[in-house]
Amino acid sequence: MVPDVSTGSDSRGLIAYLFGPGRRDEHTNPHIVAAWDMAGAPDPGRDPAATYSQLARRLDHHVDLRTRELGGKKPPQHVWHCPVRTAPGDRYLTDTEWAEVARRVVHATGIAPDGDEKACRWIAVRHADDHIHIMATTVRADGRRPRTHQDGRRAQAECRRIEAEFGLRRLKAGGLTAPRTPTGAERAKAERQGQTVTARQWLRERAYAVAAAVHTEADYFTVLQSLGIKVKTRLGPESGDVIGYSLAAPGDTNSAGEPIWYGGSKLAPDLSINRLRERLPHQEVADRPRFPADPAELWQNAIAAMQTAHTVLDSDDDAAAQLPAFGDALYNIASATRGPHRAELRAAASAFNRARRSATRADHQAAHALRQAAKELAYASTEPGGLAIALLFATVHLARAAANWHEQRGHEQQAAAADGAFRHLQAGYQQAAAPVLADLARRAPRAETARRFERELRAALPDHADRILADPSWTALTTTLAQAETAGHNPRRLLAEVGTRRDLDSAERPAEVLNWRITAQPNRRAQAARRRSTVSGTSSMSATPHPPVAPVAIRPEERGRHR
């Protein structure tokens, strides 16, 4: 059951909508199911003599009195509106049950506490099977305004109790970090335009992707504008610095043809200018990283940072900092990925947005390293097949760890979001890994070499050897061990090193786990060759700096969704 509290100033306009046909003739049999006074509330849906104006005057009675006291000034935003909707698949509620829901919600939110004879006037209108609209005018009979602080949160809590008592689907409890939900008007507009998401949601996704990829605040605004998004900044009166910003989607205008603006913090709490500055410096960074000589290092660095973040999350050492860093990393990994599984990675990045936000604020070196390592992938010109899948494998496990972290702390919505991201990542991994593992198995070394690797495995990991050998991925692992040996690694030492890390005991496919861990190891012979060829006094990194603006996981054909 989902309540959605909002306020406005046009009581008659809202009544006309509630009792009217709807924007697409979807309203059927509109009528009042509950009110502050069922005998005194004219019902335009059931009484032929009742009109919208009569009902509005009855509701606004105390507002009018207060207006005369204020010398003709109506209290601001005096119309309170709260649709309450059951979840898809829930049973049909009778008018009597909806009336109880309405009375409990206005009591819980402070609009009309039980037994308060001077409470606000309100009505609950039903015009569909699955929801009601509660409308109130927020001036009491004694002229005071009601105590509605955190009314949305209180409505949510009461709906959780109603779900349990009515036998309805139990939805996840919300927190204080959720982004603002698109309004019914925004959803209706998107439907009319044939869009699957609202302008607010579309902008939020682009803002997250851009913030994840760029290096500076200036780059953030530049890239957003390059995508056709309008940017409006608010400057401090004395300093002239940017103190806020708003975005407008291409072609998203009001009835006057003016852009519809959304402030950064209204898109999501962590897209406010202050939260962005926590991870984006205001000025260009003098020591901006440079491309490594071996492009594979970009992916190896990202895998190592992912594994470190996983360790921190498991240890609960300032773990909250890993969540937004992982959220940024998912966007950049999707940007750097090629192939059909890219869609699952982008879906995972979007799904994880709710899980990246936590009321716990923390910073951690591992989170910074993860964010920076993944940011470098936005500039990657190639995608090394095995390393890319090894990185994807690491994201699957980190997403699962994030879901567990939230679940242990009772963050139900965030846990559900992380679990959704985990499922997308798992699907993308399986889609990408299957052909690569099959190719590794096809190129397996000779039986004699495989038997030697089996002996090395039993010596290095005697407690796990039987399970690893029984894994269907063992044959692929022998190919990977042969490649690692060619790259300068000792198979026994390498198996002992990667096998002592977490998760091998509980892994369903331990050979697959080892395969990707070994894949992520650097080529020692290549490293030695580069050291020998390095001229004294020069860096082993190339002199090619990053371009001033980073690419993001958005394609040109997607930029006109709201035109």
Side-chain angles (χ1 to χ4, degrees):
M1 183 170 283
V2 182
D4 185 10
V5 174
S6 61
T7 58
S9 57
D10 184 5
S11 56
R12 191 183 186 285
L14 179 56
I15 290 170
Y17 168 73
L18 296 180
F19 288 95
R23 294 185 175 90
R24 297 173 301 284
D25 297 322
E26 73 275 21
H27 294 177
T28 59
N29 187 26
H31 60 282
I32 294 176
V33 295
W36 87 96
D37 177 7
M38 286 297 287
D43 187 349
R46 293 289 171 87
D47 182 357
T51 66
Y52 300 159
S53 296
Q54 287 176 323
L55 180 57
R57 281 197 299 271
R58 292 286 286 143
L59 279 167
D60 278 338
H61 174 70
H62 299 308
V63 177
D64 293 338
L65 293 176
R66 183 63 173 152
T67 298
R68 286 194 289 274
E69 292 175 3
L70 295 173
K73 293 182 180 180
K74 277 193 173 183
Q77 301 295 100
H78 67 279
V79 178
W80 187 89
H81 179 211
C82 180
V84 183
R85 185 182 302 271
T86 53
D90 268 339
R91 67 175 178 84
Y92 177 92
L93 298 187
T94 65
D95 279 1
T96 301
E97 288 175 312
W98 274 122
E100 181 181 345
V101 170
R103 284 190 289 269
R104 291 178 62 167
V105 169
V106 295
H107 168 75
T109 55
I111 292 294
D114 290 344
D116 187 346
E117 296 181 357
K118 298 183 182 298
C120 300
R121 295 187 169 189
W122 61 274
I123 58 172
V125 178
R126 182 178 190 177
H127 55 211
D129 287 346
D130 65 347
H131 69 280
I132 59 171
H133 290 258
I134 306 173
M135 173 189 171
T137 48
T138 55
V139 174
R140 295 164 45 87
D142 55 13
R144 295 185 293 113
R145 304 298 293 272
R147 298 177 182 273
T148 56
H149 179 62
Q150 293 190 343
D151 49 357
R153 189 178 184 187
R154 287 187 276 165
Q156 289 275 1
E158 187 61 28
C159 284
R160 299 294 82 77
R161 289 188 283 268
I162 293 171
E163 288 164 354
E165 295 174 27
F166 281 35
L168 302 176
R169 178 181 167 192
R170 304 291 298 275
L171 300 182
K172 303 297 183 184
L176 299 177
T177 62
R180 180 168 295 187
T181 303
T183 65
E186 290 173 0
R187 290 191 293 266
K189 182 178 182 180
E191 290 176 11
R192 290 196 303 272
Q193 295 176 340
Q195 305 295 338
T196 58
V197 296
T198 66
R200 185 193 299 271
Q201 292 166 317
W202 187 88
L203 284 169
R204 183 186 301 144
E205 283 300 303
R206 271 71 195 161
Y208 270 130
V210 172
V214 299
H215 285 85
T216 68
E217 180 184 320
D219 286 354
Y220 176 69
F221 294 124
T222 299
V223 175
L224 286 171
Q225 290 174 318
S226 76
L227 298 175
I229 295 171
K230 295 181 176 63
V231 177
K232 179 172 63 176
T233 55
R234 189 170 73 256
L235 304 180
E238 296 182 3
S239 66
D241 293 335
V242 175
I243 59 174
Y245 73 98
S246 299
L247 305 178
D252 186 36
T253 58
N254 59 21
S255 58
E258 301 166 332
I260 298 177
W261 297 97
Y262 297 91
S265 62
K266 302 301 182 184
L267 294 176
D270 49 351
L271 287 175
S272 69
I273 190 67
N274 290 332
R275 294 296 299 274
L276 282 171
R277 281 177 178 157
E278 292 176 4
R279 63 185 197 265
L280 292 177
H282 183 62
Q283 300 295 333
E284 187 75 16
V285 180
D287 59 346
R288 178 179 280 193
R290 298 172 180 272
F291 285 125
D294 182 1
E297 287 185 26
L298 291 173
W299 300 84
Q300 290 163 342
N301 292 343
I303 294 168
M306 198 77 64
Q307 292 169 341
T308 301
H310 192 167
T311 300
V312 173
L313 200 61
D314 284 346
S315 67
D316 196 27
D317 177 20
D318 292 332
Q322 314 310 313
L323 303 173
F326 183 47
D328 282 357
L330 288 177
Y331 277 105
N332 286 323
I333 293 169
S335 176
T337 297
R338 310 294 180 263
H341 60 286
R342 186 172 182 267
E344 293 287 358
L345 269 66
R346 295 179 64 181
S350 178
F352 195 78
N353 279 335
R354 183 68 183 92
R356 66 188 286 152
R357 292 181 290 270
S358 169
T360 304
R361 300 288 297 279
D363 194 13
H364 195 279
Q365 185 177 356
H368 177 74
L370 173 58
R371 180 175 277 121
Q372 292 304 114
K375 198 183 293 281
E376 298 307 304
L377 290 180
Y379 303 94
S381 57
T382 60
E383 179 193 329
L387 280 172
I389 298 171
L391 176 58
L392 183 52
F393 186 75
T395 67
V396 171
H397 288 273
L398 186 50
R400 180 70 271 175
N404 290 337
W405 188 88
H406 278 304
E407 186 175 349
Q408 290 165 5
R409 286 154 185 80
H411 307 161
E412 295 183 1
Q413 288 190 359
Q414 292 95 324
D419 188 63
F422 163 76
R423 295 181 189 283
H424 281 297
L425 290 168
Q426 190 176 48
Y429 163 74
Q430 290 170 348
Q431 189 177 5
V436 175
L437 288 170
D439 183 63
L440 287 172
R442 182 181 58 80
R443 297 187 290 112
R446 294 181 302 172
E448 180 182 344
T449 302
R451 285 193 295 270
R452 177 167 60 85
F453 288 150
E454 179 181 343
R455 293 192 295 271
E456 302 286 14
L457 171 67
R458 292 192 179 279
L461 301 170
D463 295 337
H464 302 289
D466 288 338
R467 290 180 60 246
I468 294 169
L469 293 169
D471 186 340
S473 298
W474 165 248
T475 305
L477 177 57
T478 61
T479 303
T480 301
L481 282 169
Q483 292 172 338
E485 190 173 47
T486 302
H489 291 280
N490 178 286
R492 182 180 300 185
R493 284 200 296 268
L494 183 59
L495 284 165
E497 177 187 345
V498 300
T500 55
R501 299 175 192 166
R502 67 186 178 280
D503 296 338
L504 201 60
D505 287 331
S506 58
E508 184 179 348
R509 304 283 292 271
E512 202 166 322
V513 173
L514 293 176
N515 184 80
W516 301 123
R517 288 179 181 175
I518 292 172
T519 298
Q521 299 301 306
N523 186 319
R524 290 186 173 178
R525 289 197 171 121
Q527 286 181 328
R530 283 197 299 275
R531 284 195 295 269
R532 288 194 297 271
S533 63
T534 300
V535 178
S536 177
T538 64
S539 171
S540 61
M541 308 294 278
S542 75
T544 306
H546 284 306
V549 177
V552 295
I554 303 173
R555 290 292 178 257
E557 65 270 16
E558 298 171 329
R559 298 176 190 172
R561 293 180 70 95
H562 284 272
R563 288 182 179 170

